Amino acid sequence: MFINERTKPHELIYYEALSARTSLMKQESAKFGNVKKGYEGEMLYDQIFDSIGHGNVLIYRDLFLSIDGSVTQYDTLIISDSGIISNEIKNFSGSITVRDGSWYRGNFSIPNDAFSQLNRAVGKLMELRNASRSDFKVSWKLIFPNDNFTFHSDDQSNWSKITLRSGLRNYFRQFNQSGIAAGNKAQYISRLISSSIVENPYFKPEVDKTRLKFGLYCGWCGSFNLSKKRFHLNCNKCGSTECNETHLLRAMSDYKFLFYNQPMTRNSLLKFIDYEIPQYTVSRFVNKYCFQHKRGNTSHYTFKYYDFNDAINKSDVYKRYRDSRP
Ligand SMILES: [Zn+2]
Protein backbone atom coordinates (compact mmCIF):
# COMPACT_ATOMS: atom_id res chain seq x y z
CA MET A 1 0.00 0.00 0.00
CA PHE A 2 1.13 3.52 -0.71
CA ILE A 3 2.09 5.26 2.53
CA ASN A 4 2.37 8.75 1.11
CA GLU A 5 1.29 10.73 -1.94
CA ARG A 6 3.70 11.25 -4.80
CA THR A 7 3.53 15.01 -5.05
CA LYS A 8 4.85 16.98 -7.99
CA PRO A 9 8.53 17.71 -7.35
CA HIS A 10 9.28 21.25 -6.14
CA GLU A 11 11.38 21.90 -9.22
CA LEU A 12 8.54 20.98 -11.56
CA ILE A 13 6.11 23.38 -9.88
CA TYR A 14 8.81 26.03 -9.90
CA TYR A 15 9.33 25.70 -13.66
CA GLU A 16 5.59 25.68 -14.27
CA ALA A 17 5.24 28.95 -12.35
CA LEU A 18 8.35 30.41 -13.96
CA SER A 19 7.29 29.54 -17.51
CA ALA A 20 3.86 31.10 -16.88
CA ARG A 21 5.53 34.40 -16.00
CA THR A 22 8.60 34.63 -18.22
CA SER A 23 10.12 32.98 -21.25
CA LEU A 24 12.51 30.28 -20.18
CA MET A 25 16.15 30.27 -21.14
CA LYS A 26 17.44 27.30 -23.08
CA GLN A 27 18.94 25.57 -20.06
CA GLU A 28 15.79 26.13 -18.03
CA SER A 29 13.61 24.68 -20.79
CA ALA A 30 15.79 21.60 -20.93
CA LYS A 31 15.66 21.19 -17.14
CA PHE A 32 11.88 21.74 -17.13
CA GLY A 33 11.47 19.06 -19.81
CA ASN A 34 13.63 16.59 -17.86
CA VAL A 35 11.88 17.11 -14.56
CA LYS A 36 8.49 16.77 -16.22
CA LYS A 37 9.50 13.60 -18.01
CA GLY A 38 10.89 12.15 -14.80
CA TYR A 39 7.65 12.83 -12.97
CA GLU A 40 5.61 11.29 -15.78
CA GLY A 41 7.74 8.16 -15.49
CA GLU A 42 7.09 7.98 -11.75
CA MET A 43 3.34 8.34 -12.28
CA LEU A 44 3.40 5.63 -14.89
CA TYR A 45 5.29 3.38 -12.47
CA ASP A 46 2.63 4.04 -9.78
CA GLN A 47 -0.17 3.37 -12.23
CA ILE A 48 1.23 0.00 -13.27
CA PHE A 49 1.97 -0.95 -9.66
CA ASP A 50 -1.62 0.02 -8.78
CA SER A 51 -3.02 -2.19 -11.51
CA ILE A 52 -1.10 -5.23 -10.17
CA GLY A 53 -1.88 -4.49 -6.52
CA HIS A 54 0.47 -3.81 -3.62
CA GLY A 55 -1.52 -4.62 -0.47
CA ASN A 56 1.24 -6.86 0.95
CA VAL A 57 3.96 -4.20 1.04
CA LEU A 58 4.47 -0.67 2.35
CA ILE A 59 5.53 1.84 -0.28
CA TYR A 60 7.13 5.23 0.28
CA ARG A 61 7.36 7.57 -2.68
CA ASP A 62 9.60 10.53 -3.44
CA LEU A 63 11.36 10.79 -0.11
CA PHE A 64 14.28 12.74 1.26
CA LEU A 65 15.99 10.89 4.08
CA SER A 66 18.59 12.36 6.38
CA ILE A 67 21.00 9.62 7.32
CA ASP A 68 24.23 10.26 9.18
CA GLY A 69 24.41 13.92 8.26
CA SER A 70 23.59 13.74 4.55
CA VAL A 71 20.28 13.87 2.72
CA THR A 72 19.43 11.48 -0.12
CA GLN A 73 16.38 11.33 -2.37
CA TYR A 74 14.55 8.07 -3.09
CA ASP A 75 11.95 7.62 -5.84
CA THR A 76 10.35 4.58 -4.23
CA LEU A 77 11.06 2.33 -1.25
CA ILE A 78 9.20 -0.97 -1.05
CA ILE A 79 9.10 -2.42 2.46
CA SER A 80 8.12 -5.88 3.57
CA ASP A 81 9.13 -8.14 6.44
CA SER A 82 12.22 -9.14 4.50
CA GLY A 83 13.54 -5.61 4.12
CA ILE A 84 13.74 -2.60 1.82
CA ILE A 85 13.95 -2.53 -1.95
CA SER A 86 14.81 0.83 -3.45
CA ASN A 87 13.42 1.44 -6.94
CA GLU A 88 15.01 4.26 -8.86
CA ILE A 89 12.83 5.25 -11.80
CA LYS A 90 14.46 6.55 -14.97
CA ASN A 91 12.03 7.60 -17.66
CA PHE A 92 14.63 7.33 -20.41
CA SER A 93 13.66 6.96 -24.03
CA GLY A 94 15.96 5.94 -26.87
CA SER A 95 18.79 3.65 -25.91
CA ILE A 96 21.59 3.33 -23.40
CA THR A 97 24.67 1.17 -23.80
CA VAL A 98 26.85 0.08 -20.93
CA ARG A 99 30.43 -0.69 -22.03
CA ASP A 100 33.31 -1.47 -19.66
CA GLY A 101 31.27 -0.08 -16.78
CA SER A 102 30.59 3.27 -18.46
CA TRP A 103 27.20 4.47 -19.64
CA TYR A 104 26.67 5.84 -23.14
CA ARG A 105 23.80 7.45 -24.96
CA GLY A 106 24.91 7.08 -28.56
CA ASN A 107 28.58 8.03 -28.42
CA PHE A 108 28.19 10.37 -25.47
CA SER A 109 29.13 9.14 -22.06
CA ILE A 110 26.79 9.82 -19.16
CA PRO A 111 28.86 11.16 -16.26
CA ASN A 112 26.83 10.02 -13.24
CA ASP A 113 25.73 6.54 -14.03
CA ALA A 114 22.55 5.32 -12.38
CA PHE A 115 24.13 2.19 -10.88
CA SER A 116 26.64 4.21 -8.85
CA GLN A 117 23.96 6.67 -7.77
CA LEU A 118 21.79 3.83 -6.57
CA ASN A 119 24.66 2.09 -4.83
CA ARG A 120 25.38 5.26 -2.88
CA ALA A 121 21.72 5.81 -2.00
CA VAL A 122 21.28 2.23 -0.89
CA GLY A 123 24.53 2.40 1.08
CA LYS A 124 22.88 5.10 3.18
CA LEU A 125 19.92 2.80 3.89
CA MET A 126 22.38 0.16 5.05
CA GLU A 127 23.94 2.74 7.38
CA LEU A 128 20.47 3.43 8.77
CA ARG A 129 19.93 -0.28 9.29
CA ASN A 130 23.31 -0.82 10.93
CA ALA A 131 22.90 2.19 13.22
CA SER A 132 19.65 0.70 14.46
CA ARG A 133 21.30 -2.70 14.88
CA SER A 134 18.68 -4.54 12.92
CA ASP A 135 19.13 -7.20 10.28
CA PHE A 136 16.85 -6.72 7.29
CA LYS A 137 17.86 -6.94 3.64
CA VAL A 138 18.47 -3.81 1.57
CA SER A 139 18.56 -4.07 -2.21
CA TRP A 140 17.78 -2.04 -5.29
CA LYS A 141 16.47 -2.17 -8.81
CA LEU A 142 16.67 0.37 -11.57
CA ILE A 143 13.34 0.77 -13.34
CA PHE A 144 12.93 2.01 -16.91
CA PRO A 145 9.15 2.44 -17.33
CA ASN A 146 9.28 3.93 -20.82
CA ASP A 147 8.12 1.65 -23.63
CA ASN A 148 10.37 3.43 -26.02
CA PHE A 149 13.69 2.50 -24.40
CA THR A 150 16.30 -0.14 -25.07
CA PHE A 151 19.23 -1.20 -22.92
CA HIS A 152 22.44 -2.79 -24.14
CA SER A 153 25.18 -4.11 -21.92
CA ASP A 154 28.41 -6.02 -22.44
CA ASP A 155 28.09 -7.27 -18.88
CA GLN A 156 25.28 -9.83 -18.51
CA SER A 157 25.11 -9.29 -14.74
CA ASN A 158 23.65 -5.83 -15.37
CA TRP A 159 20.37 -7.36 -16.49
CA SER A 160 19.56 -8.45 -12.96
CA LYS A 161 19.91 -4.85 -11.80
CA ILE A 162 17.28 -3.40 -14.11
CA THR A 163 13.67 -3.87 -15.10
CA LEU A 164 12.38 -2.63 -18.42
CA ARG A 165 8.77 -1.75 -19.17
CA SER A 166 8.19 -5.16 -20.75
CA GLY A 167 9.09 -6.88 -17.48
CA LEU A 168 7.55 -4.39 -15.09
CA ARG A 169 4.20 -6.10 -14.52
CA ASN A 170 5.95 -9.37 -13.71
CA TYR A 171 8.37 -7.56 -11.43
CA PHE A 172 5.45 -6.07 -9.47
CA ARG A 173 3.62 -9.41 -9.27
CA GLN A 174 6.30 -10.82 -6.90
CA PHE A 175 5.14 -8.29 -4.26
CA ASN A 176 1.57 -9.47 -4.56
CA GLN A 177 2.27 -13.08 -3.66
CA SER A 178 1.16 -14.81 -0.49
CA GLY A 179 4.67 -15.24 0.94
CA ILE A 180 5.16 -11.47 1.07
CA ALA A 181 3.82 -9.59 4.08
CA ALA A 182 4.06 -6.30 5.89
CA GLY A 183 3.98 -7.49 9.51
CA ASN A 184 5.81 -6.31 12.59
CA LYS A 185 9.22 -6.25 10.94
CA ALA A 186 7.94 -4.08 8.08
CA GLN A 187 6.25 -1.77 10.59
CA TYR A 188 9.55 -1.44 12.42
CA ILE A 189 11.43 -0.59 9.19
CA SER A 190 8.68 1.84 8.27
CA ARG A 191 9.09 3.69 11.59
CA LEU A 192 12.83 3.82 10.99
CA ILE A 193 12.26 5.38 7.56
CA SER A 194 9.58 7.80 8.81
CA SER A 195 11.84 9.12 11.54
CA SER A 196 14.49 10.02 8.94
CA ILE A 197 12.25 11.95 6.53
CA VAL A 198 13.19 15.57 5.93
CA GLU A 199 12.09 18.34 3.58
CA ASN A 200 13.92 18.63 0.27
CA PRO A 201 17.00 20.64 1.31
CA TYR A 202 18.35 21.08 -2.21
CA PHE A 203 15.56 23.22 -3.60
CA LYS A 204 16.87 26.78 -3.36
CA PRO A 205 15.69 28.67 -6.42
CA GLU A 206 17.10 32.10 -7.05
CA VAL A 207 14.84 33.89 -9.41
CA ASP A 208 15.53 37.32 -10.80
CA LYS A 209 12.31 39.21 -10.02
CA THR A 210 12.80 41.61 -12.91
CA ARG A 211 12.27 38.74 -15.35
CA LEU A 212 8.85 37.92 -13.97
CA LYS A 213 5.57 39.26 -15.23
CA PHE A 214 3.52 40.23 -12.18
CA GLY A 215 -0.27 39.99 -12.22
CA LEU A 216 -2.81 37.22 -12.74
CA TYR A 217 -3.08 34.86 -15.67
CA CYS A 218 -5.73 32.57 -17.10
CA GLY A 219 -5.51 29.00 -15.81
CA TRP A 220 -6.60 27.61 -19.17
CA CYS A 221 -4.63 29.51 -21.78
CA GLY A 222 -2.08 31.43 -19.70
CA SER A 223 -3.07 34.86 -21.00
CA PHE A 224 -2.57 37.88 -18.72
CA ASN A 225 -5.29 39.71 -20.66
CA LEU A 226 -8.13 39.48 -18.15
CA SER A 227 -11.17 41.65 -17.45
CA LYS A 228 -11.97 42.30 -13.80
CA LYS A 229 -15.48 41.69 -12.54
CA ARG A 230 -16.59 41.91 -8.94
CA PHE A 231 -16.04 38.26 -7.94
CA HIS A 232 -14.14 36.88 -10.89
CA LEU A 233 -11.94 37.59 -13.87
CA ASN A 234 -12.78 36.87 -17.49
CA CYS A 235 -10.10 35.84 -19.95
CA ASN A 236 -10.25 38.03 -23.03
CA LYS A 237 -8.33 35.48 -25.06
CA CYS A 238 -10.13 32.18 -24.46
CA GLY A 239 -13.32 33.34 -22.76
CA SER A 240 -12.92 31.33 -19.54
CA THR A 241 -13.93 32.68 -16.16
CA GLU A 242 -12.13 32.09 -12.88
CA CYS A 243 -13.14 33.47 -9.50
CA ASN A 244 -10.89 35.70 -7.41
CA GLU A 245 -10.18 32.85 -5.03
CA THR A 246 -8.89 30.57 -7.78
CA HIS A 247 -6.58 33.30 -9.02
CA LEU A 248 -5.28 34.05 -5.55
CA LEU A 249 -4.64 30.40 -4.76
CA ARG A 250 -2.66 30.09 -7.98
CA ALA A 251 -0.73 33.27 -7.18
CA MET A 252 0.05 32.10 -3.62
CA SER A 253 1.26 28.77 -4.96
CA ASP A 254 3.43 30.51 -7.59
CA TYR A 255 4.79 32.79 -4.89
CA LYS A 256 5.66 29.86 -2.65
CA PHE A 257 7.73 28.07 -5.28
CA LEU A 258 9.27 31.08 -7.04
CA PHE A 259 10.37 32.71 -3.79
CA TYR A 260 10.82 29.54 -1.80
CA ASN A 261 11.24 30.13 1.95
CA GLN A 262 11.06 33.90 1.50
CA PRO A 263 8.38 35.51 3.65
CA MET A 264 5.17 36.50 1.90
CA THR A 265 3.40 39.54 3.30
CA ARG A 266 0.02 40.83 2.25
CA ASN A 267 1.76 43.71 0.50
CA SER A 268 4.29 41.56 -1.32
CA LEU A 269 1.44 39.36 -2.56
CA LEU A 270 -0.56 42.40 -3.68
CA LYS A 271 2.49 43.59 -5.60
CA PHE A 272 2.98 40.11 -7.09
CA ILE A 273 -0.59 40.10 -8.45
CA ASP A 274 -0.13 43.68 -9.63
CA TYR A 275 -3.02 44.83 -7.41
CA GLU A 276 -5.55 43.15 -9.69
CA ILE A 277 -7.69 42.03 -6.75
CA PRO A 278 -8.68 44.56 -4.06
CA GLN A 279 -6.72 44.65 -0.81
CA TYR A 280 -9.66 43.67 1.43
CA THR A 281 -10.35 40.59 -0.70
CA VAL A 282 -6.69 39.61 -0.62
CA SER A 283 -6.63 40.05 3.17
CA ARG A 284 -9.64 37.83 3.60
CA PHE A 285 -8.25 35.00 1.46
CA VAL A 286 -4.74 35.23 2.87
CA ASN A 287 -6.23 34.70 6.32
CA LYS A 288 -8.27 31.81 5.04
CA TYR A 289 -5.58 29.98 3.07
CA CYS A 290 -2.36 30.81 4.93
CA PHE A 291 -0.88 30.46 8.37
CA GLN A 292 -0.14 33.84 9.88
CA HIS A 293 3.19 34.52 11.62
CA LYS A 294 3.23 37.73 13.64
CA ARG A 295 6.37 39.59 14.55
CA GLY A 296 5.82 42.98 16.17
CA ASN A 297 3.57 44.99 13.91
CA THR A 298 4.19 42.94 10.80
CA SER A 299 2.88 39.58 9.72
CA HIS A 300 4.00 37.18 7.11
CA TYR A 301 2.09 34.23 5.78
CA THR A 302 2.79 30.68 4.65
CA PHE A 303 0.50 28.84 2.28
CA LYS A 304 -1.43 26.07 4.03
CA TYR A 305 -1.30 23.76 1.02
CA TYR A 306 1.44 22.04 -0.90
CA ASP A 307 0.57 23.71 -4.17
CA PHE A 308 -2.35 25.08 -6.20
CA ASN A 309 -3.78 21.65 -7.07
CA ASP A 310 -3.60 20.51 -3.47
CA ALA A 311 -5.47 23.68 -2.45
CA ILE A 312 -8.28 23.33 -4.94
CA ASN A 313 -8.69 19.64 -4.11
CA LYS A 314 -8.95 20.33 -0.41
CA SER A 315 -10.74 23.66 -0.19
CA ASP A 316 -14.37 24.50 -0.77
CA VAL A 317 -13.63 27.34 -3.19
CA TYR A 318 -15.98 26.28 -5.90
CA LYS A 319 -19.18 26.17 -3.94
CA ARG A 320 -20.15 29.79 -4.51
CA TYR A 321 -18.60 31.13 -7.64
CA ARG A 322 -17.96 28.50 -10.18
CA ASP A 323 -15.15 28.77 -12.68
CA SER A 324 -16.06 28.06 -16.24
CA ARG A 325 -13.97 26.68 -19.04
CA PRO A 326 -13.90 28.35 -22.43
ZN1 LIG B 1 -7.68 32.10 -21.25
Side-chain angles (χ1 to χ4, degrees):
M1 72 198 76
F2 291 142
I3 304 288
N4 63 335
E5 290 290 313
R6 191 185 295 285
T7 48
K8 265 189 197 177
H10 288 43
E11 260 189 314
L12 178 54
I13 308 172
Y14 167 78
Y15 282 119
E16 284 172 350
L18 189 66
S19 65
R21 295 177 178 277
T22 189
S23 46
L24 297 185
M25 292 183 273
K26 211 175 155 189
Q27 255 189 335
E28 291 170 332
S29 284
K31 196 78 212 279
F32 186 16
N34 279 338
V35 178
K36 201 166 156 186
K37 195 174 175 192
Y39 181 60
E40 283 164 2
E42 290 167 13
M43 287 196 301
L44 178 61
Y45 169 98
D46 290 349
Q47 213 180 4
I48 300 172
F49 212 163
D50 257 340
S51 73
I52 300 294
H54 41 67
N56 295 349
V57 287
L58 307 176
I59 303 163
Y60 283 94
R61 299 179 286 178
D62 194 21
L63 285 189
F64 287 85
L65 299 183
S66 174
I67 300 167
D68 194 27
S70 70
V71 178
T72 311
Q73 192 266 344
Y74 299 87
D75 288 344
T76 306
L77 298 178
I78 303 168
I79 297 167
S80 69
D81 283 344
S82 45
I84 309 177
I85 299 172
S86 174
N87 276 177
E88 174 75 13
I89 304 159
K90 295 277 184 204
N91 193 12
F92 289 169
S93 46
S95 77
I96 293 278
T97 303
V98 179
R99 241 187 345 256
D100 299 328
S102 298
W103 287 50
Y104 297 90
R105 187 185 277 286
N107 288 322
F108 299 99
S109 84
I110 301 176
N112 257 326
D113 81 73
F115 288 161
S116 332
Q117 282 174 39
L118 251 169
N119 268 324
R120 271 196 300 276
V122 166
K124 298 307 280 186
L125 293 176
M126 290 172 178
E127 275 184 40
L128 182 69
R129 175 195 62 194
N130 298 345
S132 75
R133 298 188 181 160
S134 24
D135 66 341
F136 51 84
K137 248 173 85 180
V138 180
S139 62
W140 56 261
K141 190 76 107 171
L142 190 56
I143 310 287
F144 298 101
N146 199 317
D147 240 343
N148 184 19
F149 173 73
T150 49
F151 184 82
H152 309 275
S153 176
D154 58 357
D155 177 355
Q156 291 306 310
S157 72
N158 283 337
W159 288 98
S160 63
K161 300 171 184 171
I162 68 158
T163 296
L164 298 174
R165 173 63 186 271
S166 54
L168 196 50
R169 299 181 74 85
N170 266 338
Y171 175 67
F172 287 146
R173 278 193 190 103
Q174 66 169 306
F175 301 113
N176 213 9
Q177 284 163 2
S178 53
I180 304 283
N184 287 340
K185 189 74 180 270
Q187 295 295 340
Y188 169 79
I189 300 170
S190 163
R191 282 196 298 277
L192 204 57
I193 296 292
S194 286
S195 65
S196 308
I197 297 176
V198 291
E199 280 277 302
N200 176 356
Y202 303 112
F203 181 67
K204 289 173 185 163
E206 280 181 22
V207 66
D208 170 10
K209 276 189 191 176
T210 60
R211 285 176 68 197
L212 300 179
K213 188 165 170 57
F214 283 11
L216 302 169
Y217 57 88
C218 169
W220 301 106
C221 76
S223 171
F224 281 77
N225 182 0
L226 308 174
S227 295
K228 273 177 259 182
K229 307 290 177 212
R230 190 164 165 213
F231 297 116
H232 60 266
L233 292 107
N234 286 341
C235 175
N236 295 326
K237 193 177 167 200
C238 75
S240 70
T241 296
E242 287 179 307
C243 61
N244 287 341
E245 252 173 312
T246 307
H247 275 289
L248 273 175
L249 287 170
R250 188 181 295 117
M252 289 189 269
S253 176
D254 281 6
Y255 195 106
K256 173 180 169 179
F257 287 91
L258 288 170
F259 312 120
Y260 202 68
N261 281 335
Q262 294 178 41
M264 179 179 81
T265 63
R266 191 188 57 190
N267 285 342
S268 68
L269 181 63
L270 273 162
K271 195 174 166 198
F272 185 59
I273 63 166
D274 203 17
Y275 307 92
E276 289 188 55
I277 292 176
Q279 184 174 319
Y280 61 87
T281 311
V282 171
S283 291
R284 189 155 62 87
F285 290 142
V286 158
N287 284 320
K288 183 172 172 188
Y289 293 117
C290 296
F291 297 111
Q292 186 179 12
H293 312 274
K294 273 193 171 167
R295 183 174 286 176
N297 287 331
T298 57
S299 281
H300 74 267
Y301 298 86
T302 46
F303 197 34
K304 280 181 186 170
Y305 305 93
Y306 178 65
D307 66 353
F308 173 68
N309 286 324
D310 183 38
I312 56 168
N313 288 336
K314 285 181 186 157
S315 65
D316 57 355
V317 170
Y318 297 104
K319 285 185 182 155
R320 269 177 81 196
Y321 314 110
R322 285 186 181 279
D323 298 339
S324 72
R325 294 190 190 201

